[in-house]
Amino acid sequence: MPWSGAIFDAAQHRERLKSLEARIAQPDFWNNQEAAQGVLRDRKRSEDQIASDEKLASLSGDLETYIHLAHEETNAQQRDDLLKELDRELNTAEGYLAELETKTLLSGESDHLNAIMTIKPGAGGTESQDWASILLRMYLRWAERKGINASVLDETPGEEAGIKSATIQFAGENAYGLLTGETGVHRLVRISPFDQAARRHTSFASVFVIPEIDDKIEVNIRPEDLRVDTFRSGGKGGQNVNKVETAVRITHIPTGIVVGCQAERSQHKNRDIAMKMLRSRLYDLEVQKRQAETDKLDESKLDISFGSQIRSYILQPYRLIKDHRTKFEVGDVDRVLDGDLDPFIRSYLMAKKTKGKLTVQPDDDDAAA
């Protein structure tokens, strides 16, 4: 199996789990809430590792059983049926191993945090706005497949079709670590549904992903540095829609960062969410400044920046989705646009881990598409 690189020391984690359970059982365990939460997180990690080892052992046992039965079977039809079952079990095992290996590649300081994604269309009016809405659906479908809770915090519809912008919160295990590689420019080549002459068009949309920082990370925001505007929310249904100014937009004057939220019917809740988004943006800005200083001394840095074309989605004259950084490509365009992003996410994380440097220049054939 190509994804058999995930290795788990189950015995060590079982011993670790015993030690953690003993600490949790102590009467003064909850005296220090922060330390207690850290112990609970460690316990969950050990439990997950043990469960993964047990599932791998179960899958391995099932495979061995099917191989043995197929080897012993003398009836050709029944042997073929067993081999088909074996093939299905192999696919299941490979998929599970791929998922585990992806988790082993997520070791960054912020990888475990929730993510906030912003999608904006490039130049091109309705074409790009429609492409931005397709990307929004793709990421929402991906979250649904992964069991990650996705909430659209802010969305501005286009005049004719699509969206002018959208901000989405992804809440779930390793959400930021999984989505961080989606930052960049996404290019679509297709026969335009808005062109009566049925000509081929190229559209661009940008995706920007930052971690949603938790309350443990302190970001100082002075009230005098903020401009808060309220307005009537748009969208479908609800008695509050277009009647009460529940939507909130906050501008951080020193940096020019603007965040907004209209997901809730309460202005207070929308303001709280917007402030959380602002704190995350300011934290990410500070991280980028520090990273820029570190990168000057790091010759093997990851060569990727916001605004770089990272992936092409070709629907015409052929059908192919290609990541320009890893050269990974998939021909089943519909499956990817319906949310099956894991192969691209895994290939990015693997390339980042093993090579240390990713390029974003497209091939000549791709550039001519």
Side-chain angles (χ1 to χ4, degrees), residues 112-123:
H112 68 285
L113 297 176
N114 295 337
I116 297 175
M117 173 185 289
T118 302
I119 302 174
K120 292 185 178 180

Side-chain angles (χ1 to χ4, degrees), residues 187 309 312 318 324 362-369:
R187 181 176 71 128
Q309 180 178 308
S312 289
Y318 53 90
H324 300 304
D363 293 338
D364 292 339
D365 292 341
D366 218 22

Side-chain angles (χ1 to χ4, degrees), residues 83-316:
L83 290 174
K84 289 178 182 178
E85 287 294 329
L86 175 61
D87 187 57
R88 281 192 286 268
E89 288 294 321
L90 281 170
N91 289 333
T92 299
E94 184 175 348
Y96 185 64
L97 281 171
E99 181 181 339
L100 291 180
E101 187 171 43
T102 299
K103 290 183 179 181
T104 67
L105 298 172
L106 299 173
S107 57
E109 181 181 354
S110 304
D111 284 349
H112 68 285
L113 297 176
N114 295 337
I116 297 175
M117 173 185 289
T118 302
I119 302 174
K120 292 185 178 180
T126 302
E127 287 288 341
S128 294
Q129 291 174 12
D130 185 58
W131 171 223
S133 69
I134 293 173
L135 285 175
L136 172 60
R137 178 187 178 278
M138 180 181 74
Y139 288 117
L140 293 177
R141 293 285 290 135
W142 171 81
E144 184 180 338
R145 285 170 174 257
K146 299 292 290 184
I148 291 176
N149 183 47
S151 304
V152 178
L153 302 179
D154 194 26
E155 181 178 355
T156 304
E159 286 88 355
E160 298 181 33
I163 57 173
K164 290 184 177 179
S165 68
T167 302
I168 316 100
Q169 177 201 51
F170 296 90
E173 184 182 6
N174 296 320
Y176 176 68
L178 293 170
L179 288 171
T180 182
E182 296 302 302
T183 290
V185 171
H186 297 244
R187 181 176 71 128
L188 173 69
V189 180
R190 65 172 175 174
I191 299 297
S192 170
F194 306 101
D195 188 337
Q196 293 183 351
R199 290 171 294 189
R200 189 172 59 173
H201 285 248
T202 299
S203 306
F204 296 90
S206 65
V207 175
F208 185 43
V209 183
I210 60 173
E212 181 186 77
I213 62 173
D214 53 31
D215 296 334
K216 297 177 184 177
I217 302 175
E218 184 176 353
V219 177
N220 293 319
I221 302 176
R222 299 189 307 170
E224 58 267 28
D225 289 340
L226 301 179
R227 184 175 74 244
V228 180
D229 300 307
T230 59
F231 54 97
R232 295 177 182 179
S233 63
K236 302 176 181 178
Q239 295 180 352
N240 270 16
V241 174
N242 296 325
K243 293 184 179 181
V244 182
E245 293 188 345
T246 56
V248 175
R249 182 176 292 115
I250 300 177
T251 303
H252 186 249
I253 298 172
T255 61
I257 292 175
V258 180
V259 296
C261 182
Q262 55 180 315
E264 302 291 339
R265 297 181 64 180
S266 161
Q267 184 185 116
H268 178 71
K269 290 182 179 178
N270 283 328
R271 182 188 174 100
D272 286 345
I273 294 173
M275 282 299 297
K276 181 177 287 189
M277 293 165 60
L278 178 60
R279 291 175 68 244
S280 295
R281 290 283 300 275
L282 290 173
Y283 173 74
D284 183 68
L285 182 64
E286 183 61 29
V287 169
Q288 288 184 34
K289 289 180 181 177
R290 295 178 185 177
Q291 187 62 45
E293 296 174 359
T294 303
D295 286 345
K296 293 178 182 178
L297 305 175
D298 184 4
E299 295 181 354
S300 64
K301 68 178 180 179
L302 179 64
D303 186 16
I304 178 171
S305 59
F306 179 64
S308 300
Q309 180 178 308
I310 64 165
R311 194 177 299 150
S312 289
Y313 304 71
I314 313 296
L315 307 188
Q316 195 71 22

